[in-house]
Amino acid sequence: MAFTISMRQTFLSLLVILILVVQSEGGGIAIYWGQNGNEGTLAETCASGNYHIVNLAFLSTFGGGRTPMINLAGHCDPYSNACVGLSADIKACQAKGIKVILSIGGGVVSYSLDSSGDARQVATYLWNNFLGGHSSTRPLGDAVLDGIDFDIEGGSSEHWDELARYLSRYSNRGKKVFLTAAPQCPFPDQWVGGALKTGLFDYVWVQFYNNPPCQYTSGELSNLENSWKQWTSSIHSTKTFIGLPAAPDAAGSGFIPVNNLTSQVLPAIKGSTKYGGVMLWSKYYDDETGYSASIKSYV
Ligand SMILES: *[C@@H]1O[C@H](CO)[C@@H](O)[C@H](O)[C@H]1NC(C)=O
C-alpha cells in the first residue's frame, strides 16, 4: 500500500514536471541592445524580466584587414576601453538565464570577409576577444558571451558560411557557442543565405520589416505567413523567431500593433515546431511603446 502511494506521488510529480516543461516550451523574446545610449543599461534590460536573449549591437567593423571595433553608441567608448565595465552586466544577465550574444554587422557596413583565411582570422578574433579564448584586449572584459549573431546587411555574401563553421567548432571546447542570424524575410537572404545553408544556426530571427513583399501589412497576413512557412521549412535551424520593430518609428515599415500580433499573426505561426518567439528591434524603441511587456504573455 505504502509503495502504491509513493508510486502515485512519483507519477504526480512527473506529471507536474511534464506540465511545467510543456508550458515553458512557449516562445521567448530576443532584443537588440546597444545602438542608443538612452535605452537603459544592459543590467536594467535583463532585470526587466521581458527578455530571454539580448543581442549586443554591434561589432560593426571587422574583416578585410580592418582593426575590429565594437560600436555601442552612447553606452560606452570602446576607444578608451570603457566598455570592459559591461562584463558585470553580462554576468548579471547570464545569472538570470538570459543569453547574451554579440551581434556582428549591422546597417552601417564597414565589414567584410575577403577570403577563407580572413574568415578564420575573424573567428579566432571573436573566440579570443568575446568567447572562451584569451586576449589582453577583450573589449567587453572577461565575461564569456553565449554566441555570435550574424546581422550582415551588405558588402559581400561570401565566406560567412566558413565563419559559421569555424565558430561552431569552438563549441567542442566546453561551453557551447550559439550561432544566430538576422536575415531579411525575402528568401533566401542575399547576404547570409549561404551561411544559413550550413544548418549550423541555433536561432534565426527573420526581419519581417522593411520588406513589404513578405511582411504583415494592413491586416493582410498571407505574405508573412507564406514567408514564415518557407523559412521554417527550408532552414535547418533549431528555432525561428519573427523579427519585428518594437515601435512604428523603429523601421521604415512592418510595425504590427499589439492586438494584430496577438490575435492574427502569432496564432498563424505558433503551431510550427520551429517557432522560437519574437525578436524585437530594439530596446530603445521597446521602451517607447512597452511592446515586449504587452506581448510577452502571448509569445
Ligand atoms: C490590424 O487589424 C485590423 C483588423 O483586421 C486591420 O484593419 C488593420 O489594418 C491592422 N493594422 C495593421 C497595421 O496592419
Side-chain angles (χ1 to χ4, degrees), residues 216-219 257 260 264:
Y216 175 90
T217 310
S218 315
N260 296 49
Q264 295 177 40

Side-chain angles (χ1 to χ4, degrees), residues 31-35 54-62 69-72 100-107 111 126 130 140 145 147-153 178 180-182 205 207 279 281:
I31 191 85
Y32 279 86
W33 176 94
Q35 282 301 292
V54 180
N55 291 312
L56 304 181
F58 293 106
L59 180 78
S60 53
T61 302
F62 61 91
M69 282 307 298
I70 51 168
N71 176 310
L72 295 172
V100 184
I101 291 177
L102 177 69
S103 186
I104 66 171
Y111 50 83
L126 292 171
F130 296 97
L140 305 178
L145 297 184
I148 303 294
D149 176 52
F150 289 43
D151 183 19
I152 308 308
E153 309 206 8
F178 283 82
T180 71
W205 12 82
Q207 298 184 39
M279 172 275 270
W281 176 267

Side-chain angles (χ1 to χ4, degrees), residues 19 22 30 57 84-85 159 166-167 188 205 218 220 224 227 255 279:
I19 288 166
V22 168
V84 296
H159 307 297
Y166 287 126
L167 287 172
W205 12 82
S218 315
E220 173 51 51
L224 183 145
S227 177
F255 175 74
M279 172 275 270

